[in-house]
Amino acid sequence: MPVITLPDGSQKQFGNPLTVAEIAASIGSGLAKAALAGKVNGRLVDTSFVVNTDATISIVTDKDPEGLEVIRHSTAHLLAQAVKSLFPTAQVTIGPVVENGFYYDFAFGRSFTPDDLVRIEEKMHELVKMDLLVSHRVISRDEAIDFFRSIGEEYKAKIIEDIPVNETLTIYQQGDFIDLCRGPHVPNTGKLKAFKLTKLAGAYWRGDSKNEMLQRIYGTAWGDKKSLEAYLTQLEEAEKRDHRKIGKNLDLFHMQEEAPGMIFWHANGWTIYSQIKQYISQTIAAHGYEEIHTPQLVDLELWRKSGHWAMFGEEMFTVKTDDNREFALKPMSCPCHVQVFKQGLRSYRDLPIRFAEFGCCHRNELSGAMHGLMRVRQMVQDDAHVFCTEEQIQEEAYHIIKLVIDVYRDFGFNDIIIKLATRPDKRIGTDELWDHAEEALAASLADAGLTFDVKPGEGAFYGPKIEFHLQDCIGRTWQCGTLQLDYSQPTRLEAYYIAEDSSKKTPVMLHRAILGSLERFIGILLEHYAGKLPVWLAPQQAVVMNITRRQEEYAEEVVTFLKKQGIRVKSDLRNEKIGFKIREHTLQCVPYLLVVGDREVEMRTVSVRTQQGVDLGSLALSEVLSLIQEAVAKKGRTD
């Protein structure tokens, strides 16, 4: 006679074991109809799961985050079923849930086309209308291998061969389609009503470029059509704001095959990059950071000691010298900063010590994973590491958090989502140490007046971390900044300071990044602003245009005046109509368009127009200068 405890604390007693679906029906017909899955003692299960003991249960619907994941997972299976129905010789491989959707990889004799994508989606809708029951059964590993080989699914058999021998597996079936899966899934295909296939791509089998190329079909799925339509609108807007297109249109950067995953910065792009770097340098200097610079190529032994080789060895570029020493291009700067800390004897009176670096890092990202500025092989990170005592953790964390938030606001980001990732199952250090570390970070967030979400078990093995996620103007979120507490690396690399009692103590190390990769952050900025950057970041802040040749001399005089005041300005003296020039420079996202005609020459003024098309009339040069300087000083802030 199981006693079921519901989310509101109420309890229901039943005379016999019953399924999650039956429990939902006992609560109400509306809930039974909406049920997609259940959570039994915190575990996500199918609605067919039988509860035969006392348990705490919640019914999962499309209003729950878990419900959305079940929908997307189930839609991936729906996609695979549709492909197999239309293309019986295609082999299925994997079909996971990803952010905002799902994908499925297939091996097929020819490339799928956009027309195929339309046919596949139509077939998916047909299968939804059939309202097929989704069921599952337990199967042994060996039986599963034999079964999938017997139906020609060699890739699926290979996946199962890598699973431990004694592990019990589950297979799910809907209609005549059967797939290996842990589940859970929706109870029937009729629950899947809001989805869209979005694109085709290539993907190497098991992510290894030495293996055969598969075909990946991406899709998105939501709980209702309104949410789907909102997301598709967001995708359309994101396409318009693609930083790669903006970079080409504004002559900011390019990439080419001779240097995959690395950026060729053009003059306009380098101006943006330099402004950001200069701003960060000035800001952190005012907060007590010492800017340092460490080597890019470091003996592999240091990476072994720090633990990076064991964790990230496959992502590191290495080289051997003629004396048979092996070096690695640094994927991050932290071990090098520990080496700087170790130079000379450090006292507790010296702490905290704050080192910062624009560290040029290299990571061997997979070819298929690279994406413009967003994911590269060579990047510069605004790394910083604070060495402090246990007692200083909370205060230092508080100052870092305030610094990060202030910087984001200067760039125009006010919607900031903060997450605290806590201890994982596999970790070093005592529970007492973790308690102190997590409490210190949580308290520092509270001191800063910030709310945050907790991500249980998602901290690093050596310490908890705070993540800063920025929400852009079309609702997308980007993780940028991190604050990570590290007890491990200073210990592994034998860093210490002399404590007040003259003993040697290991400092606590706080890893801090504000922007993360400068390349990626610039990509985010370009998409957030659709190329129309705040005046302080714009490569050209103003352009002076003449109407006829009679104003050429005065136009150059205006340029000279503004340049002497530090304004990034140029002239456009081409023999073109003024309307043509205005349009061209508006498309180039120049914030201020300054026009001079005969009247402006006579009055020693300029006619000012903004890139938004606002006509500010004729202003004296001193007024124009003040206008631009005020906009620069404001940065990206809206308050």
Side-chain angles (χ1 to χ4, degrees), residues 37-231:
K39 285 182 80 173
V40 178
N41 296 328
R43 177 188 163 206
L44 200 60
V45 299
D46 296 288
T47 56
S48 61
F49 181 86
V50 176
V51 181
N52 50 26
T53 60
D54 294 353
T56 298
I57 289 180
S58 60
I59 307 302
V60 175
T61 71
D62 60 17
K63 307 300 182 188
D64 301 303
E66 298 94 340
L68 198 52
E69 185 168 338
V70 170
I71 286 172
R72 288 171 177 164
H73 195 176
S74 298
T75 310
H77 277 226
L78 186 71
L79 164 61
Q81 183 180 10
V83 169
K84 290 292 292 183
S85 176
L86 293 171
F87 310 100
T89 60
Q91 291 190 57
V92 298
T93 62
I94 59 170
V97 172
V98 294
E99 185 178 10
N100 295 322
F102 58 90
Y103 69 78
Y104 215 112
D105 288 346
F106 301 92
F108 189 46
R110 67 166 177 83
S111 297
F112 290 128
T113 67
D115 287 342
D116 290 333
L117 218 58
V118 173
R119 289 181 61 204
I120 293 166
E121 190 172 311
E122 288 173 350
K123 175 59 71 173
M124 291 170 70
H125 284 291
E126 288 178 20
L127 295 169
V128 166
K129 289 178 181 177
M130 293 171 68
D131 200 20
L132 300 171
L133 178 69
V134 179
S135 61
H136 72 278
R137 67 183 178 89
V138 174
I139 188 172
S140 72
R141 173 185 174 276
D142 291 344
E143 185 184 353
I145 293 171
D146 291 342
F147 169 75
F148 283 104
R149 281 224 164 94
S150 73
I151 61 172
E153 296 291 354
E154 185 61 31
Y155 288 90
K156 194 66 72 172
K158 287 179 181 178
I159 291 170
I160 300 169
E161 284 176 339
D162 290 339
I163 296 173
V165 175
N166 297 323
E167 190 161 332
T168 300
L169 309 176
T170 53
I171 57 174
Y172 278 76
Q173 180 167 359
Q174 51 198 57
D176 58 358
F177 176 72
I178 299 175
D179 202 357
L180 174 78
C181 193
R182 291 192 184 93
H185 284 283
V186 294
N188 51 69
T189 59
K191 300 288 187 185
L192 308 174
K193 296 178 180 177
F195 56 82
K196 178 74 178 174
L197 299 184
T198 54
K199 64 178 179 178
L200 295 163
Y204 291 110
W205 166 237
R206 290 181 166 167
D208 189 338
S209 59
K210 296 175 184 177
N211 291 335
E212 57 270 37
M213 178 70 77
L214 304 176
Q215 296 186 69
R216 178 170 294 177
I217 299 179
Y218 283 95
T220 186
W222 298 82
D224 55 73
K225 290 183 178 179
K226 184 179 178 181
S227 299
L228 173 64
E229 288 168 4
Y231 177 69

Side-chain angles (χ1 to χ4, degrees), residues 457-521:
E458 294 196 27
F461 71 94
Y462 49 76
K465 66 176 177 178
I466 296 172
E467 298 174 355
F468 300 88
H469 299 251
L470 306 183
Q471 187 168 51
D472 68 16
C473 65
I474 60 173
R476 297 173 300 179
T477 57
W478 306 87
Q479 184 188 332
C480 288
T482 56
L483 167 54
Q484 198 148 332
L485 196 152
D486 187 353
Y487 291 104
S488 172
Q489 210 163 137
T491 302
R492 294 178 72 115
L493 298 179
E494 300 173 340
Y496 67 88
Y497 66 93
I498 304 302
E500 191 171 4
D501 62 1
S502 298
S503 65
K504 290 182 179 180
K505 285 195 174 180
T506 303
V508 179
M509 186 176 179
L510 300 178
H511 303 250
R512 183 236 71 194
I514 302 175
L515 309 182
S517 155
L518 266 66
E519 289 78 5
R520 180 171 176 268
F521 189 74

Side-chain angles (χ1 to χ4, degrees), residues 351-362:
L351 304 185
I353 291 174
R354 308 178 186 98
F355 291 145
E357 177 178 10
F358 291 98
C360 184
C361 301
H362 292 78

Side-chain angles (χ1 to χ4, degrees), residues 394-406:
Q394 184 172 330
E395 184 178 0
E396 282 302 302
Y398 168 80
H399 288 304
I400 290 171
I401 292 163
K402 294 289 284 183
L403 169 64
V404 170
I405 298 298
D406 283 345

Side-chain angles (χ1 to χ4, degrees), residues 388-396 436 440 497 505 508:
C388 64
T389 66
E390 283 275 347
E391 296 74 23
Q392 293 169 332
I393 292 174
Q394 184 172 330
E395 184 178 0
E396 282 302 302
H436 176 69
Y497 66 93
K505 285 195 174 180
V508 179

